[in-house]
Amino acid sequence: MAFRGNVSDYLTSTMTDRFDCYYCRDNLHGKKYVKKDDKHVCTKCFNKLCANTCAECKRPIGADSKELHHKNRYWHEDCFRCAKCYKPLASEPFSARDDGKIMCGKCGSREDGNRCQGCYKVVMPGTQNVEYKNKVWHEECFTCFDCKQPIRTQSFMTKGDDIYCTACHDKKFAKKCFHCKQAITSGGISYQDNPWHSECFVCKTCRKSLAGTRFTSHEQDVYCVDCYKTDVAKKCNGCKNPITGFGHGTNVVNYEGYAWHEYCFNCKRCSLSLANKRFVINIDHIYCPDCAKKL
């Protein structure tokens, strides 16, 4: 807070009628005197007995000197200076510190102001600065922990007490997509304990996004249901449809390069299910042993 000190000039006069000094009783006729507390005092006695002591130089503030006072403390006008830069403060704003020092506004701000968390120098009022979690930085001191560049008005992220620009944070801490190896900054999906960008998790054949849809994998590639059926899945030797493993028909019977849905692995003649049973194959058809004998 700034205060203004008061400058005092004691009332001094020249006596023309007979009048004595309150202390020494000298005749004040034709001499300068000081009136203080309704007492008439010669300048000599005033300087010796009544003058206030300057808080700076510790000498009396004589009748012929201008006196400044603030909160029961007194100064010669020339002694009322900033304790740091010694600038005269008789007609300037100033601040009085708890330790008794008087400072100009600029030095007071430096002494009492917030200190930058980067350089630990005072952040002067009115200068460009950044505030975050009740701490303050000079704008040029608010830098990325990794690349050391000022963040200014850009977005930033934190890790512990360290501050990062988004690019460095993503490079250092973000998960990397299993497909493109680039940082995943938002969203993404996980498949087989590996992270993916949603836009990278696509069908091997048609490139359609598989996020939120049914899919299957084959030899480390992923496929949508339609492409898996047409391009990858084996065809059932019975019904000629793809063996996909989706829903009905999960179990498969394989024999000498041929494959069947379990529910299609039936005797060609009597339709008996031959899964886990003996059978006879004739050209492309299968038969139970009884039907094979009748052929």
Side-chain angles (χ1 to χ4, degrees), residues 129-189:
N129 63 78
V130 178
E131 292 188 21
Y132 176 65
K133 288 189 175 180
N134 298 320
K135 296 181 180 179
V136 65
W137 290 258
H138 293 111
E139 188 178 58
E140 62 273 16
C141 294
F142 193 68
T143 59
C144 171
F145 181 79
D146 197 40
C147 69
K148 309 304 181 186
Q149 294 300 308
I151 294 174
R152 302 188 189 280
T153 58
Q154 302 176 61
S155 298
F156 64 90
M157 303 183 76
T158 59
K159 193 72 172 179
D161 293 331
D162 299 324
I163 296 168
Y164 295 84
C165 65
T166 52
C168 288
H169 183 276
D170 292 344
K171 179 181 176 182
K172 197 174 184 72
F173 301 109
K175 292 181 178 180
K176 303 296 190 297
C177 175
F178 182 75
H179 175 71
C180 69
K181 311 306 179 186
Q182 298 301 309
I184 301 174
T185 57
S186 63
I189 62 176

Side-chain angles (χ1 to χ4, degrees), residues 2-207:
F3 303 90
R4 296 301 302 272
N6 296 319
V7 180
S8 299
D9 276 314
Y10 288 104
L11 177 63
T12 58
S13 309
T14 302
M15 293 293 297
T16 55
D17 298 326
R18 173 74 185 186
F19 207 77
D20 297 337
C21 170
Y22 178 81
Y23 293 102
C24 67
R25 298 304 179 184
D26 279 354
N27 188 350
L28 297 178
H29 179 71
K31 299 177 182 179
K32 289 181 67 175
Y33 73 94
V34 178
K35 186 177 181 180
K36 184 177 181 181
D37 300 332
D38 293 327
K39 300 180 181 67
H40 300 83
V41 185
C42 67
T43 57
K44 183 177 180 181
C45 289
F46 177 85
N47 293 342
K48 182 178 180 181
L49 302 173
C50 301
N52 294 310
T53 300
C54 176
E56 179 63 25
C57 69
K58 310 305 180 185
R59 292 196 292 253
I61 303 173
D64 295 328
S65 300
K66 285 188 176 181
E67 178 184 88
L68 282 80
H69 63 89
H70 173 67
K71 291 186 176 179
N72 299 319
R73 299 174 69 207
Y74 303 87
W75 292 263
H76 291 104
E77 183 179 29
D78 291 340
C79 292
F80 196 68
R81 297 173 177 269
C82 174
K84 286 285 185 181
C85 67
Y86 303 109
K87 175 183 179 180
L89 299 177
S91 58
E92 299 288 337
F94 67 91
S95 60
R97 295 173 54 80
D98 292 340
D99 59 7
K101 292 180 180 179
I102 301 296
M103 291 189 183
C104 65
K106 187 174 182 179
C107 290
S109 295
R110 285 176 177 166
E111 195 75 13
D112 299 327
N114 292 321
R115 293 194 174 271
C116 172
Q117 296 298 304
C119 66
Y120 300 104
K121 294 181 180 178
V122 172
V123 179
M124 297 297 293
T127 58
Q128 294 292 327
N129 63 78
V130 178
E131 292 188 21
Y132 176 65
K133 288 189 175 180
N134 298 320
K135 296 181 180 179
V136 65
W137 290 258
H138 293 111
E139 188 178 58
E140 62 273 16
C141 294
F142 193 68
T143 59
C144 171
F145 181 79
D146 197 40
C147 69
K148 309 304 181 186
Q149 294 300 308
I151 294 174
R152 302 188 189 280
T153 58
Q154 302 176 61
S155 298
F156 64 90
M157 303 183 76
T158 59
K159 193 72 172 179
D161 293 331
D162 299 324
I163 296 168
Y164 295 84
C165 65
T166 52
C168 288
H169 183 276
D170 292 344
K171 179 181 176 182
K172 197 174 184 72
F173 301 109
K175 292 181 178 180
K176 303 296 190 297
C177 175
F178 182 75
H179 175 71
C180 69
K181 311 306 179 186
Q182 298 301 309
I184 301 174
T185 57
S186 63
I189 62 176
S190 177
Y191 174 63
Q192 292 185 342
D193 296 326
N194 293 315
W196 299 66
H197 288 115
S198 296
E199 58 271 22
C200 290
F201 195 67
V202 297
C203 173
K204 172 73 173 179
T205 302
C206 69
R207 314 306 298 172

